[in-house]
Amino acid sequence: MTSRDDMAALDRDDPLALAREQFDLPEGVIYLDGNSLGPLPRNVPARLAEVVNTEWRGDLIKSWNVHGWMDLPLKVGDRIAALIGAGPGEVLAADSTSVNLFKLMAAALELRPGRKVIVSQRGNFPTDNYLAEGLIRFAGTDHELRLVDGDDILGAIDDSVALVSLTQVDYRSGHVQDMAAVTAAAHKAGALVLWDLSHSAGALAVDLNGAEVDFAVGCSYKYLNGGPGAPAYLFVSRDLQDQVRQPLSGWLGHAAPFEFEASYRPAPGILRQQCGTPSILALSALDAALDVFDGLDMGLVRAKSLSLTEHFIQLVEQRCADHGFALASPRNSERRGSQVSWHHEMGYPIMQALIAEGVIGDFRSPDILRFGFAPLYLSHVDVWDAVTVIEGVMTSGRWDQPEFHQRAAVT
Ligand SMILES: *Cc1c(COP(=O)(O)O)cnc(C)c1O
């Protein structure tokens, strides 16, 4: 049987142990929801104060030039590129993931005239499929969203497919798609691919160019810790950048925005994916948050993530065996992202009880308890202590108090 001392021993050998000090986590909390909203990196408040007081207050509009505000979407994009296997100039920090999905799906369809199908999974994150529906309706064409039940994506790809649009790590189960294999199959059929990296970037070693991916998007408020509603990012492979057009042809994606020309001409490269004025405060917070990843080996991050999730699965199954939890995540580590999900018919009140006792995860309808393991600020002892709280909540029946059954708007 594993003990708390065994877990402490693993922490003593943890090459990432020091990263935890870069986060300002509240006392008494084991935060297992960094896959939904990353915690506050310690350097963010000071950076924001500087941007507000020195740049905005002191240098006013000159800051667009003298403080490099105009270049921030590309600069932050390059820093994210380094974490997802992309090159400089291939990633732009802009807009939200939802908006970026719309822009890139539209761009992809235009590159494949005559092909009428977007392939996705029925279980994909809702916004991804909603945006595909909205794009098709708006375009007024006879395109079709072909939704695959389960994981047989390859079986749905044929020569009618323009775009395969998938999320690499499933938000409910944490199942990891084989990005390289699906991308290769799509290309073989003449289709393009768009990967949503919202639950991958910052937790897994993603290799977009290694897999020859065409397009990608992702959130930066999850494992990248950019803050609530932080600007998202998008990736367009270098060879496609000057071929694509995107429908939100705003002035900052123009080749010469300050010429104020009468008509739109797209900027070269990734900059044509920009639409309007970037949110400098939000980008500055994200820029500071990315410091923690400087020089970090994503292989080590992934290895620690797997060690945390493997131990969590093992300990819940040992210590909570009689309490009705059924693993909803892949047992095979290679196919599991940085989260562990459990089915439980009383999932909602159980999660509320855990949150009340300081173990913060979340609940995803209909019956999933979801625990995210961000390797930069969680330890093996945290895993042990979280399981102790779960065991206590279950054996005492404390989860069944009436207040834990009240549903809040955000779960
Ligand atoms: C979190 C998440 C989003 C969120 O999109 P927003 O536009 O930031 O609200 C999109 N896709 C996936 C796969 C996600 O996990």
Side-chain angles (χ1 to χ4, degrees), residues 81-250:
L83 304 177
I84 56 177
E90 286 189 310
V91 176
L92 184 76
D95 301 319
S96 65
T97 303
S98 299
V99 169
N100 289 333
L101 282 163
F102 185 84
K103 294 190 294 192
L104 294 185
M105 284 178 185
L109 293 190
E110 205 178 1
L111 284 180
R112 289 291 180 273
R115 291 177 174 240
K116 298 295 182 192
V117 176
I118 300 176
V119 167
S120 186
Q121 284 180 295
R122 197 172 303 279
N124 197 352
F125 191 80
T127 209
D128 299 58
N129 290 347
Y130 297 167
L131 264 303
E133 289 174 356
L135 172 64
I136 291 170
R137 182 161 31 82
F138 178 70
T141 50
D142 53 353
H143 282 86
E144 166 205 338
L145 177 61
R146 181 182 291 167
L147 294 178
V148 178
D149 290 302
D151 284 320
D152 184 23
I153 292 146
L154 301 192
I157 302 176
D158 56 31
D159 63 8
S160 67
V161 175
L163 177 68
V164 178
S165 166
L166 295 171
T167 297
Q168 187 188 15
V169 177
D170 184 273
Y171 74 104
R172 279 204 187 91
S173 68
H175 178 265
V176 184
Q177 293 289 345
D178 188 340
M179 175 183 274
V182 173
T183 300
H187 286 169
K188 194 155 170 248
L192 295 157
V193 292
L194 166 57
W195 286 100
D196 188 329
L197 307 178
S198 290
H199 285 279
S200 334
L204 273 68
V206 180
D207 190 4
L208 290 178
N209 282 330
E212 300 186 10
V213 168
D214 306 300
F215 303 105
V217 297
C219 292
S220 47
Y221 50 79
K222 294 173 178 166
Y223 293 108
L224 297 181
N225 315 306
Y233 55 91
L234 61 81
F235 159 90
V236 180
S237 76
R238 193 172 304 284
D239 54 322
L240 290 178
Q241 287 181 0
D242 291 331
Q243 294 176 41
V244 296
R245 298 193 302 180
Q246 59 102 347
L248 304 184
S249 46

Side-chain angles (χ1 to χ4, degrees), residues 350-369:
I350 292 169
M351 185 54 81
Q352 298 317 300
L354 295 177
I355 292 170
E357 301 203 11
V359 174
I360 303 183
D362 59 25
F363 173 78
R364 286 293 173 263
S365 185
D367 69 343
I368 292 210
L369 295 119

Side-chain angles (χ1 to χ4, degrees), residues 15 17 70 190-191 206 230 273 315 342 370 384 405:
M70 214 54 189
V206 180
Q273 301 296 335
L315 290 171
W342 305 90
R370 193 171 70 151
W384 176 272
H405 291 266

